[in-house]
Amino acid sequence: MAHPISAFQAAYISIEVLIALVSVPGNILVIWAVKMNQALRDATFCFIISLAVADVAVGALVIPLAIIINIGPQTEFYTCLMVACPVLILTESSILALLAIAVDRYLRVKIPVRYKSMVTPRRAAVAIACCWIVSFLVGLTPMFGWNNLNKMQRTQEPNGSHTEFIITCQFETVISMEYMVYFNFFVWVLPPLLLMLLIYLEVFNLIRKQLNKKVSSSSNDPQKYYGKELKIAKSLALVLFLFALSWLPLHVLNCITLFCPSCQTPHILTYIAIFLTHGNSAMNPIVYAFRIKKFRTAFLQIWNQYFCCKTNKNATSTTTAEAGN
């Protein structure tokens, strides 16, 4: 029988649902804006769509699965593992999308003349496909054997088959902390974040050098180009900063769990870290709306065309009909 949900679990579920209700529509709006606005069709915004797709999946898939894990149902081991793996896939997809965005911004300021011939839509699509393939391989590694099954079976009676191994489904029950720290964090999270930091530092350095050159009558366009690049780079660097700020606390807690088994981490810190990781998927549309003019224009266009104007038209039609009567 399922045990009743506690008041703390009810509060947790309410916050998770609220995050999902912000994340899913916000990131769908990002995808919609790129689809309808021709000015948002370059490679950078293709990578932003990939990031938005991952964020939609966090709200629509990962958060419901996290709620299920929090309740702790009795399931077969590999069923629980399948519930736990999607967050690993989507986290890696977000990191690789952010890395692709950083590399794209670097190429835009390093080789502006040759950029369009090098970064074609076809190559951007191939890069996005590669990012998702790598994300699935990294995120599904626990399904291939790097999990806690053997460790759990050593503590149980060795008379049941793998398919009959029933557990209380919790993330740390099935996912190995060695995998989370040594492979996931030390290989696929921390190095890409450090690499992106170096890339953005170089991007800002290159842009500053160009903007500090003396402005002549023939250099108005380059000055305008690099000024625009600086604004976009700052906005995308902010997206990266928020991602790191949201995900590093949970990885630090994983390191504490692995390297200091006797250390007792307060549950409230774990929940705050989880809320930060899930909440990050709701942050990006807000950053785009306030920091990137093209997105702000597209969002307003969608609002006026599909929501605001429809309301006005309905009101006008009602008024006209009443006047006719």
Side-chain angles (χ1 to χ4, degrees):
M1 290 180 65
H3 58 274
I5 295 175
S6 66
F8 187 83
Q9 283 179 316
Y12 165 80
I13 292 170
S14 299
I15 295 172
E16 289 281 39
V17 170
L18 181 62
I19 292 171
L21 290 176
V22 175
S23 174
V24 173
N27 285 287
I28 288 176
L29 188 61
V30 170
I31 298 168
W32 193 355
V34 175
K35 185 175 183 291
M36 71 174 293
N37 194 328
Q38 195 67 34
L40 297 172
R41 295 290 179 84
D42 64 15
T44 301
F45 296 105
C46 292
F47 297 129
I48 286 176
I49 282 187
S50 180
L51 183 59
V53 168
D55 287 337
V56 168
V58 168
L61 177 64
V62 169
I63 287 179
L65 293 179
I67 291 171
I68 291 171
I69 287 179
N70 182 261
I71 295 171
Q74 297 290 312
T75 66
E76 193 269 327
F77 183 89
Y78 277 98
T79 301
C80 183
L81 201 57
M82 288 178 65
V83 171
C85 282
V87 67
L88 304 174
I89 297 170
L90 296 172
T91 304
E92 192 55 40
S93 171
S94 297
I95 291 170
L96 294 178
L98 288 168
L99 180 58
I101 290 169
V103 172
D104 177 72
R105 301 323 294 183
Y106 174 76
L107 293 176
R108 285 183 72 94
V109 299
K110 183 68 175 179
I111 50 169
V113 176
R114 290 185 292 136
Y115 170 79
K116 287 190 177 180
S117 62
M118 288 191 62
V119 185
T120 62
R122 180 183 177 85
R123 287 175 179 171
V126 170
I128 290 170
C130 290
C131 288
W132 278 97
I133 290 170
V134 171
S135 301
F136 271 93
L137 292 175
V138 172
L140 292 177
T141 296
M143 295 293 296
F144 303 146
W146 197 346
N147 54 54
N148 286 335
L149 181 59
N150 291 334
K151 185 189 296 185
M152 294 190 67
Q153 286 181 326
R154 284 196 296 268
T155 63
Q156 302 289 330
E157 291 295 329
N159 55 2
S161 66
H162 288 192
T163 56
E164 297 171 348
F165 197 67
I166 305 299
I167 61 167
T168 300
C169 186
Q170 298 287 341
F171 187 85
E172 291 185 19
T173 305
V174 293
I175 300 293
S176 164
M177 275 299 118
E178 286 82 3
Y179 160 82
M180 285 301 299
V181 174
Y182 292 125
F183 186 67
N184 189 279
F185 182 47
F186 286 167
V187 176
W188 291 103
V189 174
L190 194 57
L193 287 178
L194 293 175
L195 179 58
M196 282 184 267
L197 174 62
L198 294 175
I199 290 173
Y200 275 110
L201 288 174
E202 181 61 17
V203 166
F204 291 132
N205 183 46
L206 289 171
I207 292 174
R208 295 291 184 192
K209 284 181 179 178
Q210 293 295 330
L211 291 178
N212 287 336
K213 289 180 178 179
K214 291 182 179 180
V215 182
S216 65
S217 59
S218 62
S219 63
N220 288 331
D221 287 341
Q223 288 287 319
K224 185 178 178 182
Y225 175 83
Y226 286 107
K228 189 186 301 181
E229 286 299 315
L230 179 61
K231 289 180 182 178
I232 295 177
K234 283 181 177 179
S235 301
L236 296 174
L238 176 60
V239 170
L240 171 62
F241 172 76
L242 291 173
F243 182 90
L245 193 67
S246 300
W247 279 95
L248 287 178
L250 186 60
H251 284 290
V252 169
L253 291 177
N254 288 339
C255 290
I256 293 172
T257 301
L258 178 64
F259 298 129
C260 184
S262 61
C263 298
Q264 294 295 322
T265 305
H267 285 297
I268 189 65
L269 289 181
T270 303
Y271 279 106
I272 290 172
I274 291 171
F275 289 143
L276 282 173
T277 61
H278 294 167
N280 178 253
S281 62
M283 296 176 189
N284 293 342
I286 299 170
V287 173
Y288 302 150
F290 281 96
R291 301 275 308 180
I292 301 178
K293 186 178 179 181
K294 288 181 181 179
F295 268 115
R296 188 163 59 250
T297 302
F299 291 163
L300 289 173
Q301 184 181 349
I302 291 171
W303 171 257
N304 290 330
Q305 185 173 344
Y306 294 96
F307 300 102
C308 180
C309 289
K310 278 193 173 184
T311 306
N312 292 339
K313 284 178 182 177
N314 291 338
T316 304
S317 299
T318 305
T319 304
T320 306
E322 289 175 352
N325 292 333

